[in-house]
Amino acid sequence: AAVGKVAEEAPKLFAHCRLYFNGRVDGSGGLSSFSLGKLARLHGAELASRFTKGRTTHVICTRLSVSKERAALHDGTSRGAVGLYFVRPEWITQSIAARRRLS
């Protein structure tokens, strides 16, 4: 019952966000991608098990390979592209601490 109450009280900072974890999440305060995903879901995020163009809103990563960086730049400039953000894992915990989604 206590867990349900915490979930109800958590602000939905990440409502309308669909997060995809790309590889390792080094430097995230010791939290694994599983733990970060759990935190994000608690605060309203939806998690994607794989990257989907047009549906994924945020890619959580510490580094991108050159090929993924090129693909992201190409997809982000194509006609009708939906805003796609590449953020570090700390973005999740810092947004929660600030009680608002940071840019």
Side-chain angles (χ1 to χ4, degrees), residues 25-33 35-36 90:
V25 291
D26 295 337
S28 57
L31 295 175
S32 67
S33 59
S35 297
L36 287 168
E90 295 84 16

Side-chain angles (χ1 to χ4, degrees), residues 47-91:
L47 299 185
S49 58
R50 61 184 174 170
F51 179 77
T52 309
K53 291 180 187 176
R55 293 207 56 212
T56 302
T57 60
H58 295 76
V59 176
I60 314 298
C61 58
T62 54
R63 282 183 290 216
L64 280 180
S65 67
V66 174
S67 62
K68 286 182 182 177
E69 184 177 356
R70 281 190 194 132
L73 289 172
H74 177 267
D75 293 341
T77 57
S78 65
R79 188 174 165 171
V82 175
L84 179 63
Y85 301 94
F86 291 84
V87 295
R88 296 185 57 81
E90 295 84 16
W91 173 76

